[in-house]
Amino acid sequence: MAGPSKSLILDPALQKYYELNANRYKYFRWTPRHAWFSFLYMALIPGALGYVAYKTDGLYDLRGKRRGDTIVEW
């Protein structure tokens, strides 16, 4: 039958890793590196993408173009 048998031996290193991963919030500390990555992923990257999207809004029209037509609509 399928499933674990009585001879199943669990790897202690993997068990330790699973336990640490489940309790990761207990071991987290704010460091300058963590603060920088948080700022980068929550403010800088979305801000840059939003700026590019705002500046190019309506600039390109990719529908109904034929060979030789320009995609820039300004």
Side-chain angles (χ1 to χ4, degrees):
M1 289 295 194
S5 63
K6 294 180 182 180
S7 65
L8 178 66
I9 299 172
L10 299 175
D11 186 6
L14 280 178
Q15 291 302 112
K16 183 178 177 182
Y17 172 74
Y18 295 148
E19 193 66 31
L20 179 70
N21 200 22
N23 297 317
R24 186 175 299 270
Y25 68 96
K26 295 177 183 177
Y27 303 107
F28 179 79
R29 268 191 213 145
W30 279 105
T31 62
R33 183 173 186 228
H34 287 145
W36 170 246
F37 280 135
S38 296
F39 173 74
L40 182 71
Y41 290 129
M42 290 189 290
L44 199 60
I45 291 175
L49 288 175
Y51 176 76
V52 169
Y54 178 75
K55 289 308 242 179
T56 60
D57 185 32
L59 186 61
Y60 302 107
D61 186 20
L62 301 175
R63 294 182 56 155
K65 295 294 179 182
R66 296 188 179 178
R67 185 179 298 161
D69 290 345
T70 178
I71 63 168
V72 180
E73 290 292 326
W74 48 285

